[in-house]
């Protein structure tokens, strides 16, 4: 059985009594389910392929970003990376929060005191911002300790 230019109905072997209603009209509307199912399956497969490619691309980008971050931490030194992990702030982020371009204890302390007072809750400031300022100062203080310790270690190395 063929309907116009369509493919033969795969359900033709099934009894017409089960396919046709009492008036002889087909319940499957002329066996159009097969081509529709085929197109639906093609659409689903194409959609899965598109989503799969996008997911794979995003995964590759995430691995590249993770590798770049690991390389950056490696260049900064193991102690500095550990301090960043411990405090939750990177050195650059802490410098941005306290508006410090180079690490000097005086500049860090001066900017910390100013930002802490400005963000005090009693003068209408934000406790969240004030806590960020405190964490940034802690991170920069840790970095200053690391630098001082590295300077001492360089000075104590025997000259050969």
């Amino acid at each position: 059985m063929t309907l116009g230019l369509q493919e033969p109905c795969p359900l033709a072997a099934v009894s017409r009594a089960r396919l046709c209603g009492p008036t002889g009209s087909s319940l499957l509307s002329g066996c159009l389910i097969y081509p529709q199912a085929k197109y639906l399956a093609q659409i689903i497969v194409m959609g899965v392929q598109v989503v799969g490619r996008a997911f794979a691309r995003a995964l590759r980008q995430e691995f590249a970003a993770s590798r770049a971050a690991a390389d950056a931490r490696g260049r900064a030194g193991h102690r500095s990376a550990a301090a960043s992990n411990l405090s939750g702030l990177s050195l650059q982020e802490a410098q941005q929060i306290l508006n410090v371009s180079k690490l000097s204890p005086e500049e860090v302390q001066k900017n910390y005191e100013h930002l802490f007072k400005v963000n005090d809750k009693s003068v209408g400031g934000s406790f969240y911002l004030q806590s960020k300022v405190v964490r940034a100062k802690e991170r920069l203080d840790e970095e200053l300790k690391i630098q001082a310790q590295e300077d001492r270690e360089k000075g104590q190395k025997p000259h050969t």
Side-chain angles (χ1 to χ4, degrees), residues 37-138:
K38 181 175 127 182
Y39 296 134
L40 181 61
Q42 287 175 345
I43 290 171
I44 290 171
V45 168
M46 287 186 343
V48 168
Q49 286 175 343
V50 168
V51 169
R53 279 190 224 115
F55 181 74
R57 188 178 319 119
L59 200 57
R60 280 192 301 268
Q61 288 175 350
E62 183 61 32
F63 283 145
S66 176
R67 197 174 309 120
D71 291 343
R73 281 194 303 264
R75 284 191 303 267
H78 296 294
R79 292 179 186 153
S80 182
S84 292
N85 288 337
L86 189 62
S87 69
L89 289 175
S90 68
L91 177 61
Q92 293 80 14
E93 188 178 8
Q95 286 178 316
Q96 287 176 348
I97 290 171
L98 288 182
N99 195 23
V100 176
S101 57
K102 59 181 180 178
L103 283 179
S104 69
E106 299 81 22
E107 187 178 4
V108 169
Q109 185 63 33
K110 183 182 85 164
N111 289 358
Y112 165 74
E113 289 173 358
H114 171 72
L115 290 171
F116 190 84
K117 288 177 188 175
V118 168
N119 289 302
D120 191 10
K121 193 147 179 105
S122 64
V123 294
S126 165
F127 179 74
Y128 173 76
L129 292 177
Q130 195 176 39
S131 67
K132 279 292 205 182
V133 168
V134 170
R135 297 293 170 245
K137 182 176 185 315
E138 289 173 351

Side-chain angles (χ1 to χ4, degrees), residues 5-57:
L5 299 175
Q6 296 176 355
E7 298 175 10
C9 179
L11 301 175
V14 180
S15 165
R16 286 209 43 86
R18 284 194 272 165
L19 293 178
C20 300
T23 61
S25 65
S26 173
L27 295 177
L28 298 175
S29 55
C31 293
L32 291 177
I33 288 186
Y34 176 71
Q36 291 171 349
K38 181 175 127 182
Y39 296 134
L40 181 61
Q42 287 175 345
I43 290 171
I44 290 171
V45 168
M46 287 186 343
V48 168
Q49 286 175 343
V50 168
V51 169
R53 279 190 224 115
F55 181 74
R57 188 178 319 119

